[in-house]
């Protein structure tokens, strides 16, 4: 079974990175399929860059929607 964690955000790139790091740390310890979908509400900061970094490191785990 696939579990999707949806994170909605707006101009929170600094706290978003910590949140995504914590999700990776907790999800990797379990034995089920998971992914994170970040929904960006038109941020004007570096939110997209933060998420794209996670997509590069974990290509099958993170998705981005704006």
């Amino acid at each position: 079974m696939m579990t999707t964690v949806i994170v909605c955000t707006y101009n929170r790139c600094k706290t978003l990175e910590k949140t995504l790091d914590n999700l990776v740390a907790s999800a990797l310890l379990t034995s089920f399929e998971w992914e994170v979908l970040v929904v960006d509400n038109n941020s004007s900061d570096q939110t997209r860059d933060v998420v794209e970094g996670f997509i590069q490191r974990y290509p099958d785990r993170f998705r981005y929607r704006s």
Side-chain angles (χ1 to χ4, degrees):
M1 180 167 90
M2 171 66 84
T3 299
T4 302
V5 177
I6 301 171
V7 178
C8 300
T9 188
Y10 175 71
N11 285 343
R12 297 271 197 181
C13 67
K14 293 179 183 183
T15 57
L16 178 63
E17 185 166 13
K18 184 175 180 179
T19 299
L20 299 181
D21 278 332
N22 287 332
L23 286 169
V24 168
S26 65
L28 290 177
L29 298 177
T30 61
S31 60
F32 60 87
E33 291 185 62
W34 60 273
E35 67 176 356
V36 176
L37 171 61
V38 178
V39 179
D40 184 359
N41 191 17
N42 202 27
S43 296
S44 59
D45 63 0
Q46 289 75 40
T47 294
R48 185 179 192 122
D49 295 334
V50 168
V51 179
E52 286 179 354
F54 278 86
I55 291 171
Q56 288 178 359
R57 289 187 306 226
Y58 309 99
D60 296 330
R61 301 287 189 196
F62 285 86
R63 294 187 294 140
Y64 175 85
R65 294 290 182 259
S66 57

Coordinates of all heavy atoms in Angstrom, one line a residue:
M1 N 0.8 -1.2 0.0 CA 0.0 0.0 0.0 C 0.9 1.2 0.0 O 1.9 1.3 0.7 CB -0.9 0.0 1.2 CG -1.8 1.2 1.3 SD -3.1 1.0 2.5 CE -2.3 1.7 3.9
M2 N 0.5 2.2 -0.8 CA 1.3 3.5 -0.9 C 0.7 4.5 0.0 O -0.5 4.7 0.1 CB 1.3 4.0 -2.3 CG 1.8 5.4 -2.5 SD 3.6 5.5 -2.2 CE 4.2 5.0 -3.8
T3 N 1.6 5.2 0.8 CA 1.1 6.3 1.7 C 1.7 7.6 1.1 O 2.9 7.6 0.8 CB 1.7 6.1 3.1 OG1 1.1 4.8 3.6 CG2 1.3 7.2 4.0
T4 N 0.8 8.5 0.9 CA 1.2 9.9 0.5 C 1.0 10.9 1.6 O -0.1 11.0 2.1 CB 0.4 10.3 -0.8 OG1 0.5 9.3 -1.8 CG2 0.8 11.7 -1.3
V5 N 2.1 11.6 1.9 CA 2.1 12.7 2.9 C 2.0 13.9 2.0 O 2.9 14.2 1.2 CB 3.3 12.7 3.8 CG1 3.3 13.9 4.7 CG2 3.5 11.4 4.5
I6 N 1.0 14.7 2.3 CA 0.8 16.0 1.6 C 1.2 17.1 2.5 O 0.7 17.3 3.6 CB -0.6 16.2 1.1 CG1 -1.0 15.0 0.2 CG2 -0.8 17.5 0.4 CD1 -2.5 14.9 -0.2
V7 N 2.2 18.0 2.0 CA 2.6 19.1 2.8 C 2.3 20.3 2.0 O 2.8 20.6 0.9 CB 4.2 19.0 3.0 CG1 4.7 20.3 3.7 CG2 4.5 17.8 3.7
C8 N 1.4 21.1 2.5 CA 1.0 22.4 1.9 C 1.9 23.5 2.5 O 2.1 23.5 3.7 CB -0.5 22.7 2.1 SG -1.5 21.4 1.4
T9 N 2.3 24.4 1.6 CA 3.3 25.4 2.1 C 3.1 26.7 1.4 O 2.7 26.8 0.2 CB 4.7 24.9 2.0 OG1 5.6 25.8 2.7 CG2 5.2 24.7 0.6
Y10 N 3.5 27.8 2.1 CA 3.6 29.1 1.5 C 4.7 29.9 2.1 O 4.6 30.2 3.3 CB 2.2 29.9 1.6 CG 2.3 31.3 1.1 CD1 2.4 31.6 -0.2 CD2 2.3 32.4 2.0 CE1 2.4 32.9 -0.7 CE2 2.4 33.7 1.6 CZ 2.4 33.9 0.2 OH 2.5 35.2 -0.2
N11 N 5.7 30.2 1.4 CA 6.9 31.0 1.9 C 7.5 30.5 3.2 O 7.7 31.3 4.1 CB 6.5 32.5 2.0 CG 6.4 33.2 0.7 OD1 6.9 32.7 -0.4 ND2 5.7 34.3 0.6
R12 N 7.7 29.2 3.2 CA 8.3 28.6 4.4 C 9.5 27.8 4.1 O 9.7 26.7 4.7 CB 7.2 27.7 5.1 CG 6.0 28.4 5.6 CD 6.3 28.8 7.0 NE 5.0 29.1 7.7 CZ 5.0 29.5 8.9 NH1 6.2 29.6 9.5 NH2 3.9 29.9 9.5
C13 N 10.3 28.2 3.1 CA 11.4 27.4 2.7 C 12.3 26.9 3.8 O 12.9 25.8 3.8 CB 12.2 28.0 1.5 SG 13.1 29.5 2.0
K14 N 12.6 27.8 4.8 CA 13.5 27.4 5.8 C 13.0 26.3 6.7 O 13.7 25.4 7.1 CB 13.9 28.7 6.7 CG 14.7 29.7 5.8 CD 15.0 30.9 6.6 CE 15.8 31.8 5.7 NZ 16.2 33.0 6.3
T15 N 11.7 26.4 7.1 CA 11.1 25.4 7.9 C 10.7 24.1 7.1 O 10.7 23.0 7.6 CB 9.9 25.9 8.7 OG1 9.0 26.4 7.8 CG2 10.3 26.9 9.7
L16 N 10.5 24.4 5.8 CA 10.1 23.2 5.0 C 11.2 22.2 4.9 O 11.0 21.0 4.9 CB 9.7 23.8 3.6 CG 9.3 22.7 2.5 CD1 8.1 21.9 3.0 CD2 9.1 23.3 1.2
E17 N 12.4 22.7 4.7 CA 13.6 21.8 4.6 C 13.7 20.9 5.8 O 13.9 19.7 5.7 CB 14.9 22.6 4.4 CG 16.0 21.7 4.1 CD 17.3 22.4 3.6 OE1 17.3 23.6 3.6 OE2 18.2 21.7 3.1
K18 N 13.5 21.5 7.0 CA 13.6 20.7 8.2 C 12.4 19.7 8.3 O 12.6 18.5 8.7 CB 13.5 21.6 9.4 CG 13.7 20.9 10.7 CD 13.8 21.8 11.9 CE 13.9 21.0 13.2 NZ 14.0 21.9 14.4
T19 N 11.2 20.1 7.9 CA 10.1 19.2 7.9 C 10.3 18.0 6.9 O 10.1 16.9 7.3 CB 8.8 20.0 7.4 OG1 8.6 21.0 8.3 CG2 7.6 19.1 7.3
L20 N 10.8 18.3 5.7 CA 11.1 17.2 4.8 C 12.2 16.3 5.3 O 12.1 15.1 5.1 CB 11.4 17.8 3.4 CG 10.3 18.6 2.8 CD1 10.7 19.2 1.4 CD2 9.0 17.9 2.7
D21 N 13.2 16.8 5.9 CA 14.3 16.0 6.5 C 13.7 15.1 7.5 O 14.0 13.9 7.6 CB 15.4 16.9 7.1 CG 16.4 17.4 6.1 OD1 16.6 16.7 5.1 OD2 17.0 18.4 6.4
N22 N 12.8 15.6 8.4 CA 12.2 14.8 9.4 C 11.3 13.7 8.8 O 11.3 12.6 9.3 CB 11.4 15.6 10.4 CG 12.3 16.4 11.3 OD1 13.4 16.0 11.6 ND2 11.8 17.6 11.7
L23 N 10.6 14.0 7.7 CA 9.8 13.0 7.1 C 10.6 11.9 6.5 O 10.3 10.7 6.6 CB 8.9 13.6 6.0 CG 7.8 14.4 6.4 CD1 7.1 15.2 5.3 CD2 6.7 13.5 7.1
V24 N 11.7 12.2 5.9 CA 12.7 11.2 5.3 C 13.2 10.3 6.5 O 13.2 9.1 6.4 CB 13.8 11.9 4.6 CG1 14.9 10.8 4.3 CG2 13.4 12.5 3.3
A25 N 13.6 10.9 7.6 CA 14.1 10.2 8.7 C 13.1 9.2 9.3 O 13.4 8.1 9.6 CB 14.6 11.1 9.8
S26 N 11.9 9.6 9.4 CA 10.9 8.7 10.0 C 10.4 7.7 9.0 O 10.1 6.6 9.3 CB 9.7 9.6 10.5 OG 9.0 10.2 9.5
A27 N 10.2 8.1 7.7 CA 9.6 7.2 6.7 C 10.6 6.1 6.4 O 10.2 4.9 6.1 CB 9.2 8.0 5.5
L28 N 11.9 6.3 6.4 CA 12.9 5.3 6.0 C 13.0 4.2 7.1 O 13.4 3.1 6.8 CB 14.3 5.9 5.8 CG 14.4 6.8 4.5 CD1 15.8 7.4 4.5 CD2 14.1 6.0 3.3
L29 N 12.5 4.5 8.2 CA 12.5 3.5 9.3 C 11.4 2.5 9.2 O 11.4 1.5 9.9 CB 12.5 4.2 10.7 CG 13.7 5.1 10.9 CD1 13.6 5.7 12.3 CD2 15.0 4.3 10.9
T30 N 10.4 2.7 8.4 CA 9.3 1.8 8.3 C 9.4 1.0 7.0 O 10.2 1.2 6.2 CB 8.0 2.7 8.3 OG1 8.0 3.5 7.1 CG2 7.8 3.5 9.5
S31 N 8.5 0.0 6.9 CA 8.6 -0.9 5.8 C 7.4 -0.8 4.9 O 6.8 -1.8 4.5 CB 8.7 -2.3 6.4 OG 7.5 -2.6 7.2
F32 N 6.9 0.4 4.6 CA 5.9 0.5 3.6 C 6.3 1.6 2.6 O 7.2 2.3 2.7 CB 4.5 1.0 4.3 CG 4.6 2.3 5.0 CD1 4.4 3.5 4.4 CD2 4.9 2.3 6.4 CE1 4.5 4.7 5.1 CE2 5.0 3.5 7.1 CZ 4.8 4.7 6.4
E33 N 5.6 1.5 1.5 CA 5.9 2.5 0.4 C 5.3 3.9 0.8 O 4.2 4.0 1.3 CB 5.2 2.0 -0.9 CG 5.8 0.8 -1.5 CD 5.2 0.5 -2.9 OE1 5.3 1.4 -3.8 OE2 4.6 -0.5 -3.0
W34 N 6.1 4.9 0.5 CA 5.6 6.2 0.8 C 6.1 7.3 -0.2 O 7.1 7.0 -0.9 CB 6.2 6.6 2.2 CG 7.6 6.6 2.3 CD1 8.4 5.5 2.7 CD2 8.6 7.7 2.1 NE1 9.7 5.9 2.7 CE2 9.9 7.2 2.3 CE3 8.4 9.0 1.8 CZ2 11.0 8.0 2.2 CZ3 9.5 9.8 1.6 CH2 10.8 9.3 1.9
E35 N 5.5 8.4 -0.2 CA 5.9 9.5 -1.0 C 5.5 10.8 -0.3 O 4.6 10.8 0.5 CB 5.3 9.5 -2.4 CG 3.8 9.7 -2.5 CD 3.3 9.7 -3.9 OE1 4.0 9.6 -4.9 OE2 2.0 9.8 -4.0
V36 N 6.1 11.9 -0.7 CA 5.7 13.2 -0.2 C 5.3 14.1 -1.3 O 6.1 14.2 -2.3 CB 6.9 13.8 0.6 CG1 6.5 15.2 1.1 CG2 7.3 13.0 1.8
L37 N 4.2 14.7 -1.3 CA 3.7 15.6 -2.3 C 3.7 17.0 -1.6 O 3.0 17.2 -0.6 CB 2.3 15.3 -2.7 CG 1.6 16.3 -3.6 CD1 2.4 16.6 -4.9 CD2 0.2 15.9 -3.9
V38 N 4.5 17.9 -2.1 CA 4.6 19.3 -1.6 C 3.7 20.1 -2.5 O 4.0 20.2 -3.7 CB 6.0 19.8 -1.5 CG1 6.0 21.3 -1.0 CG2 6.9 18.9 -0.6
V39 N 2.7 20.8 -1.9 CA 1.8 21.7 -2.6 C 2.2 23.1 -2.3 O 2.1 23.5 -1.1 CB 0.4 21.4 -2.3 CG1 -0.5 22.3 -3.1 CG2 0.0 19.9 -2.6
D40 N 2.7 23.8 -3.2 CA 3.2 25.2 -3.0 C 2.1 26.2 -3.4 O 1.6 26.2 -4.5 CB 4.5 25.4 -3.9 CG 5.1 26.7 -3.7 OD1 4.6 27.6 -2.9 OD2 6.1 27.0 -4.3
N41 N 1.7 27.0 -2.5 CA 0.7 28.0 -2.7 C 1.3 29.3 -3.2 O 1.1 30.3 -2.6 CB -0.1 28.2 -1.4 CG -1.4 29.0 -1.6 OD1 -1.8 29.1 -2.8 ND2 -2.0 29.5 -0.6
N42 N 2.0 29.2 -4.3 CA 2.5 30.4 -5.0 C 3.6 31.2 -4.2 O 3.6 32.4 -4.1 CB 1.4 31.4 -5.4 CG 1.8 32.3 -6.5 OD1 2.6 32.0 -7.3 ND2 1.1 33.5 -6.5
S43 N 4.5 30.4 -3.6 CA 5.5 31.0 -2.7 C 6.4 31.9 -3.6 O 6.7 31.6 -4.8 CB 6.4 29.9 -2.1 OG 5.6 29.2 -1.2
S44 N 7.0 32.9 -2.9 CA 7.9 33.8 -3.6 C 9.3 33.7 -3.1 O 10.2 34.4 -3.4 CB 7.5 35.3 -3.5 OG 7.4 35.6 -2.1
D45 N 9.5 32.7 -2.2 CA 10.9 32.4 -1.6 C 11.5 31.2 -2.4 O 11.1 30.9 -3.5 CB 10.8 32.2 -0.1 CG 10.0 31.0 0.3 OD1 9.5 30.3 -0.6 OD2 9.9 30.8 1.5
Q46 N 12.4 30.5 -1.8 CA 13.1 29.4 -2.4 C 12.5 28.1 -2.2 O 13.1 27.0 -2.2 CB 14.6 29.4 -1.9 CG 15.4 30.5 -2.5 CD 15.2 31.8 -1.8 OE1 14.9 31.9 -0.5 NE2 15.1 32.9 -2.5
T47 N 11.2 28.1 -2.0 CA 10.5 26.8 -1.7 C 10.7 25.8 -2.8 O 11.0 24.6 -2.5 CB 9.0 27.1 -1.5 OG1 8.8 27.9 -0.3 CG2 8.2 25.8 -1.4
R48 N 10.5 26.2 -4.0 CA 10.7 25.3 -5.1 C 12.1 24.7 -5.2 O 12.3 23.5 -5.4 CB 10.4 25.9 -6.5 CG 10.4 25.0 -7.6 CD 10.0 25.6 -8.9 NE 9.8 24.6 -9.9 CZ 8.7 24.4 -10.6 NH1 7.7 25.3 -10.4 NH2 8.6 23.5 -11.5
D49 N 13.1 25.5 -4.9 CA 14.5 25.0 -4.9 C 14.7 24.0 -3.8 O 15.4 23.0 -4.0 CB 15.5 26.2 -4.7 CG 15.4 27.2 -5.8 OD1 15.1 26.8 -7.0 OD2 15.8 28.3 -5.6
V50 N 14.1 24.2 -2.7 CA 14.2 23.2 -1.6 C 13.6 21.9 -2.0 O 14.3 20.8 -1.8 CB 13.6 23.8 -0.3 CG1 13.4 22.7 0.8 CG2 14.3 25.0 0.3
V51 N 12.5 21.9 -2.5 CA 11.8 20.7 -2.9 C 12.5 20.0 -4.1 O 12.7 18.8 -4.0 CB 10.3 21.0 -3.3 CG1 9.6 19.7 -3.7 CG2 9.6 21.6 -2.2
E52 N 13.0 20.8 -5.0 CA 13.8 20.2 -6.1 C 15.0 19.5 -5.6 O 15.4 18.5 -6.2 CB 14.1 21.2 -7.2 CG 12.8 21.6 -8.0 CD 13.1 22.6 -9.1 OE1 14.2 23.2 -9.1 OE2 12.1 22.9 -9.8
G53 N 15.6 20.0 -4.6 CA 16.8 19.3 -4.0 C 16.4 17.9 -3.4 O 17.1 17.0 -3.6
F54 N 15.3 17.9 -2.8 CA 14.8 16.6 -2.3 C 14.4 15.6 -3.4 O 14.6 14.4 -3.4 CB 13.6 16.8 -1.3 CG 14.0 17.1 0.1 CD1 14.3 18.5 0.4 CD2 14.2 16.2 1.0 CE1 14.7 18.8 1.7 CE2 14.6 16.5 2.3 CZ 14.8 17.8 2.6
I55 N 13.8 16.2 -4.5 CA 13.5 15.4 -5.7 C 14.7 14.8 -6.3 O 14.7 13.6 -6.7 CB 12.7 16.2 -6.7 CG1 11.3 16.5 -6.1 CG2 12.6 15.5 -8.0 CD1 10.5 17.5 -7.0
Q56 N 15.8 15.5 -6.3 CA 17.1 15.0 -6.9 C 17.7 13.9 -6.0 O 18.2 12.9 -6.5 CB 18.1 16.1 -7.0 CG 17.7 17.1 -8.2 CD 18.7 18.2 -8.3 OE1 19.7 18.4 -7.5 NE2 18.5 19.1 -9.3
R57 N 17.6 14.1 -4.7 CA 18.1 13.1 -3.8 C 17.3 11.8 -3.7 O 17.7 10.7 -3.4 CB 18.4 13.7 -2.4 CG 19.5 14.7 -2.4 CD 19.8 15.1 -0.9 NE 18.6 15.6 -0.3 CZ 18.5 16.7 0.4 NH1 19.6 17.4 0.6 NH2 17.4 17.1 1.0
Y58 N 15.9 12.0 -3.7 CA 15.0 10.9 -3.6 C 14.0 11.0 -4.7 O 12.8 11.3 -4.5 CB 14.2 11.1 -2.2 CG 15.1 11.2 -1.0 CD1 15.4 12.5 -0.5 CD2 15.7 10.1 -0.5 CE1 16.2 12.6 0.6 CE2 16.6 10.3 0.6 CZ 16.8 11.5 1.2 OH 17.6 11.7 2.3
P59 N 14.4 10.7 -5.9 CA 13.5 10.9 -7.1 C 12.2 10.1 -7.1 O 11.2 10.6 -7.7 CB 14.4 10.4 -8.3 CG 15.5 9.6 -7.7 CD 15.6 10.1 -6.3
D60 N 12.1 9.0 -6.4 CA 10.8 8.3 -6.4 C 10.0 8.6 -5.2 O 8.9 8.0 -5.0 CB 11.1 6.8 -6.4 CG 11.8 6.4 -7.7 OD1 11.5 7.0 -8.7 OD2 12.6 5.4 -7.7
R61 N 10.4 9.5 -4.4 CA 9.7 9.8 -3.1 C 9.1 11.2 -3.0 O 8.2 11.4 -2.2 CB 10.7 9.7 -1.9 CG 11.4 8.4 -1.8 CD 10.4 7.4 -1.3 NE 11.1 6.1 -0.9 CZ 10.5 5.0 -0.8 NH1 9.2 4.9 -0.8 NH2 11.1 3.9 -0.5
F62 N 9.6 12.2 -3.7 CA 9.1 13.5 -3.6 C 8.5 14.0 -4.9 O 9.0 13.8 -6.0 CB 10.2 14.5 -3.2 CG 10.6 14.3 -1.7 CD1 11.5 13.4 -1.3 CD2 10.0 15.1 -0.8 CE1 11.8 13.2 0.0 CE2 10.3 15.0 0.6 CZ 11.1 14.0 1.0
R63 N 7.4 14.7 -4.8 CA 6.8 15.4 -5.9 C 6.4 16.8 -5.5 O 6.2 17.1 -4.4 CB 5.5 14.7 -6.4 CG 5.7 13.3 -6.9 CD 4.5 12.7 -7.5 NE 3.5 12.4 -6.5 CZ 2.2 12.6 -6.7 NH1 1.7 13.1 -7.8 NH2 1.3 12.3 -5.7
Y64 N 6.3 17.7 -6.5 CA 6.1 19.1 -6.3 C 4.9 19.6 -7.2 O 4.9 19.3 -8.4 CB 7.3 19.9 -6.6 CG 7.2 21.4 -6.6 CD1 7.3 22.1 -5.4 CD2 6.8 22.2 -7.7 CE1 7.1 23.5 -5.3 CE2 6.7 23.6 -7.6 CZ 6.8 24.2 -6.4 OH 6.7 25.6 -6.3
R65 N 4.0 20.3 -6.6 CA 2.9 20.9 -7.3 C 2.8 22.4 -6.9 O 2.8 22.7 -5.7 CB 1.6 20.2 -7.1 CG 1.5 18.8 -7.6 CD 1.5 18.8 -9.1 NE 1.4 17.4 -9.6 CZ 2.4 16.7 -10.1 NH1 3.6 17.2 -10.1 NH2 2.2 15.5 -10.5
S66 N 2.5 23.2 -7.9 CA 2.3 24.6 -7.5 C 0.9 25.1 -7.9 O 0.2 24.4 -8.5 CB 3.3 25.5 -8.2 OG 3.3 25.4 -9.6

